[in-house]
């Protein structure tokens, strides 16, 4: 197991059904605070499903049923009195395909803070600048904040989505293959950004790129067929994993 | 000092017989084949990939290198015991080949590392590079022994060689065991035995040192030959150290555990 740190997200015996299909078969994993945790595993192993559990994105799918518990900072996020909007403010998400709103760059970032009650123009300006700086995008867009976000390059759009996610200062950032559609340079920028962000945020990232996991994550969990096979420090997982399944996956021998 | 008489000849023959007995079967021409016997077990798909084949080539090259190194050491010691200059000189050409193999190993390993291998594959390539380095150094030691043998052959034999062939046999066996453990994960315990046996070689070396010092004190004309023999013993002791390194590398390969520089 990774060196003991504060577990921010405690996942206990989590079982998730899509209709009658059991997609997560009793997963236990503690995500450490202010670290980057990578989820790896072949397609369909449940890693994205688990990631989506952390901000209850699976609520949007009718057939989904969840058993077990997820606690974030000690609070059971599936309990009835949890406000999902408030939860998603705490747990931001960045997707594989960048999905900026068809609005200006400024409005993309200002949208959520405004939704959560920030009305003052000066405050919003400050948040937009801070978020864009945090996402390493400010210098590239500061002179065209009013132009459409759709005109940005793929890598810029993805960083804009990160800026949008951090504009409301979440505790946790979930990233589902955030760089898989980007070229190596844009990927490097995202990876660099993840390193910077982890001083303030707890990051969970799903990736199919093993080298990316070695470069950016502190801990890595390997999933297979809905089970968490092995969770350890990234160094251990990629140099000397304990389980044969992990070994075979990271060396590219199956999956 | 012993004159090259019947008695010396007999002792020489005896020493050689014992040495050959232990070493004549050359050496770990262990079967090539895939790097790992345990094929992927999950997902039902058993793949022998291009990648596996490349790793297998790296292993084969390393084993070729190992068998040449072992042959070099065997010949160098044999050249000393049998006072055979011709055999000593053969060690040189063999050493050149080992050097070339080391360079080829490095080139292959760098090519393989550029593909960013992980876990067992990563450890395997790194360990193969390190073992090849230890083998190359052992080959150098063999040539150094052969050179001393040529010099010693110009003078009458100082004494019957007993401990030197024994040390050489032990060092060679250590290399063989370490490589056997490298090839067969099942034999990985052999690597740990190598670590223990290094101590035996060291104590034999110290014993020999004391003996040679007494020869030198006895008579100054012995000194040159004693110093040559001292060097030979030192070189063999170094070979055992390289074998120990190889064993440590093999343990890392199989267990991912670094056992270097531990007080035993």
């Amino acid at each position: 197991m990774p060196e003991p740190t504060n577990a921010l997200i405690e996942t206990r015996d989590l079982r998730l059904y899509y209709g009658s299909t059991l997609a997560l078969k009793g997963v236990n994993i503690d995500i450490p605070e202010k670290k980057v945790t990578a989820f790896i595993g072949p397609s369909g192993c449940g890693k994205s499903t688990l990631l989506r559990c952390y901000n209850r994105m699976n609520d949007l799918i009718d057939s989904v049923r969840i058993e077990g518990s997820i606690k974030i900072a000690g609070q059971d996020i599936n309990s009835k009195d949890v406000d999902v909007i408030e939860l998603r403010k705490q747990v931001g998400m960045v997707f594989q395909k960048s999905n900026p709103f068809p609005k200006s760059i400024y409005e993309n970032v200002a949208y959520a803070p405004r939704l959560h009650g920030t009305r003052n123009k000066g405050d919003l300006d400050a948040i937009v600048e801070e978020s864009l700086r945090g996402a390493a995008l400010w210098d590239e867009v500061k002179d065209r904040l009013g132009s459409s976000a759709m005109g940005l390059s793929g890598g810029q759009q993805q960083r804009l989505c990160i800026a949008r996610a951090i504009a409301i200062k979440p505790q946790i950032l979930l990233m589902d293959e955030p760089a898989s559609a980007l070229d190596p340079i844009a990927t490097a920028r995202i990876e660099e950004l993840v390193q910077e962000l982890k001083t303030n945020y707890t990051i969970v990232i799903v990736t199919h790129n093993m080298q990316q996991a070695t470069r950016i994550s502190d801990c890595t969990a390997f999933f297979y067929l809905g089970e968490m096979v092995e969770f350890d420090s990234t160094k251990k997982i990629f140099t000397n994993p304990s389980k044969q399944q992990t070994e075979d996956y990271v060396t590219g021998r199956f999956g | 000092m012993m004159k090259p008489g019947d008695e010396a000849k007999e002792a020489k023959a005896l020493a050689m017989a014992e040495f050959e007995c232990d070493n004549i079967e050359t050496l770990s021409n262990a079967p090539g084949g895939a790097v790992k016997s345990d094929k992927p077990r999950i997902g039902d798909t058993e793949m022998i990939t291009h990648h596996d084949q490349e790793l297998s080539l790296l292993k084969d090259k390393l084993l070729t290198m190992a068998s040449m190194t072992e042959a070099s050491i065997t010949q160098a010691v044999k050249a000393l015991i049998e006072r055979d200059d011709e055999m000593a000189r053969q060690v040189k050409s063999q050493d050149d080949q080992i050097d070339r193999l080391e360079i080829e190993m490095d080139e292959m390993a760098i090519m393989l590392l550029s593909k960013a291998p992980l876990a067992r594959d990563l450890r395997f390539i790194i360990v193969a590079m390190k073992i090849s380095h230890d083998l190359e150094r052992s080959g150098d030691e063999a040539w150094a022994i052969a050179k001393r043998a040529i010099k010693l052959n110009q003078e009458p034999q100082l004494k019957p060689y007993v401990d030197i062939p024994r040390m050489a046999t032990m060092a060679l066996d250590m290399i063989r065991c370490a490589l056997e453990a490298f090839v067969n994960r099942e034999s990985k315990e052999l690597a740990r035995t190598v670590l223990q046996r290094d101590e035996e070689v060291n104590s034999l070396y110290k014993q020999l040192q004391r003996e040679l010092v007494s020869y030198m004190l006895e008579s100054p004309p012995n000194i040159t030959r004693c110093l040559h023999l001292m060097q030979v013993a030192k070189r063999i002791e170094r070979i055992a150290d390289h074998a120990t390194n190889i064993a440590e590398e093999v343990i890392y390969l199989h267990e991912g555990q670094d056992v270097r520089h531990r007080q035993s």
Side-chain angles (χ1 to χ4, degrees), chain B residues 56-125:
Chain B
S56 189
L57 283 175
L58 187 73
K59 190 186 79 170
D60 289 349
K61 198 177 278 292
L62 188 70
L63 291 178
T64 306
M65 211 178 149
S67 102
M68 288 176 76
T69 307
E70 290 176 53
S72 271
I73 298 164
T74 309
Q75 278 179 6
V77 176
K78 206 170 165 190
L80 176 79
I81 298 168
E82 294 192 340
R83 303 174 66 78
D84 185 339
D85 284 4
E86 187 44 44
M87 184 174 286
R89 274 185 280 271
Q90 283 171 14
V91 174
K92 172 66 182 153
S93 64
Q94 185 127 300
D95 187 44
D96 293 342
Q97 288 182 55
I98 295 170
D99 290 351
R100 274 197 297 279
L101 278 173
E102 189 202 16
I103 292 170
E104 288 174 27
M105 282 286 298
D106 280 359
E107 283 170 356
M108 272 180 87
I110 285 170
M111 182 271 289
L112 287 166
L113 286 172
S114 73
K115 302 177 183 184
L118 290 168
R120 180 178 50 209
D121 295 346
L122 176 60
R123 299 202 307 277
F124 176 80
I125 296 163

Side-chain angles (χ1 to χ4, degrees), chain A residues 210-211 214 224 238-241 244-245 247-248 250-254, chain B residues 36 38 40-43 47 52 55 116 118-121 123 255-256:
Chain A
M210 239 72 76
Q211 276 69 35
T214 65
Y224 186 63
F238 290 108
T239 62
N240 186 28
Q244 184 68 36
Q245 285 179 322
E247 176 97 52
D248 287 341
V250 303
T251 57
R253 288 190 168 76
F254 94 98
Chain B
K36 38 179 205 25
D38 42 337
R41 284 167 204 153
I42 11 181
M47 297 190 289
D52 286 331
L55 290 176
L118 290 168
R120 180 178 50 209
D121 295 346
R123 299 202 307 277
E255 300 176 11

Side-chain angles (χ1 to χ4, degrees), chain A:
Chain A
M1 275 295 163
E3 57 193 272
T5 44
N6 288 339
L8 184 63
I9 311 177
E10 295 167 83
T11 315
R12 286 289 170 277
D13 203 24
L14 191 75
R15 299 162 74 82
L16 183 144
Y17 298 85
Y18 287 114
S20 58
T21 312
L22 187 57
L24 293 176
K25 302 173 182 169
V27 172
N28 289 287
I29 184 171
D30 287 348
I31 309 288
E33 188 174 13
K34 292 189 179 168
K35 300 261 186 220
V36 179
T37 300
F39 286 180
I40 61 168
S43 300
C45 69
K47 56 194 188 306
S48 292
T49 299
L50 178 61
L51 194 74
R52 292 157 57 88
C53 287
Y54 292 144
N55 68 350
R56 288 182 53 179
M57 292 286 284
N58 293 314
D59 288 11
L60 306 172
I61 305 165
D62 287 338
S63 63
V64 164
R65 186 158 54 83
I66 291 173
E67 295 166 359
S69 82
I70 299 171
K71 285 183 182 169
I72 293 180
Q75 164 78 44
D76 183 348
I77 63 165
N78 289 314
S79 86
K80 295 233 164 14
D81 49 345
V82 164
D83 176 357
V84 179
I85 304 296
E86 192 57 31
L87 172 70
R88 293 191 188 138
K89 190 179 161 197
Q90 289 303 316
V91 187
M93 192 150 191
V94 176
F95 299 88
Q96 176 178 9
K97 196 170 178 311
S98 54
N99 53 353
F101 304 137
K103 293 171 180 286
S104 71
I105 294 168
Y106 184 97
E107 283 306 317
N108 263 275
V109 183
Y111 187 86
R114 194 181 279 134
L115 195 72
H116 286 286
T118 309
R119 297 271 184 250
N120 180 295
K121 175 83 169 93
D123 291 348
L124 282 174
D125 287 354
I127 290 172
V128 168
E129 177 170 349
E130 190 189 346
S131 305
L132 287 170
R133 282 190 190 281
L137 189 60
W138 174 251
D139 288 339
E140 291 162 58
V141 301
K142 63 184 176 198
D143 299 324
R144 46 171 172 147
L145 292 175
S147 50
S148 169
M150 308 314 278
L152 296 173
S153 73
Q156 287 172 327
Q157 286 190 9
Q158 194 62 309
R159 276 178 285 146
L160 179 65
C161 291
I162 293 171
R164 191 175 64 188
I166 62 180
I168 45 172
K169 301 215 178 313
Q171 273 186 294
I172 297 166
L173 265 183
L174 308 175
M175 298 181 154
D176 195 349
E177 295 188 61
S180 63
L182 304 180
D183 70 43
I185 292 168
T187 299
R189 301 197 70 138
I190 299 284
E191 290 181 2
E192 196 54 38
L193 180 55
V194 168
Q195 291 306 301
E196 287 164 23
L197 291 173
K198 82 170 181 189
T199 52
N200 293 315
Y201 303 95
T202 299
I203 296 172
V204 188
I205 182 167
V206 166
T207 180
H208 276 133
N209 182 333
M210 239 72 76
Q211 276 69 35
Q212 179 169 70
T214 65
R215 287 191 295 262
I216 64 176
S217 69
D218 303 296
C219 308
T220 298
F222 169 60
F223 293 86
Y224 186 63
L225 297 177
E227 288 177 67
M228 208 265 308
V229 176
E230 189 170 354
F231 179 47
D232 213 319
S233 72
T234 295
K235 175 174 177 268
K236 178 93 169 79
I237 294 285
F238 290 108
T239 62
N240 186 28
S242 305
K243 302 276 172 63
Q244 184 68 36
Q245 285 179 322
T246 316
E247 176 97 52
D248 287 341
Y249 182 69
V250 303
T251 57
R253 288 190 168 76
F254 94 98

Side-chain angles (χ1 to χ4, degrees), chain B residues 12-25:
Chain B
K12 186 171 76 183
L14 211 71
M16 199 54 231
E18 198 175 298
F19 180 67
E20 283 205 323
C21 222
D22 289 326
N23 297 300
I24 204 79
E25 273 180 45

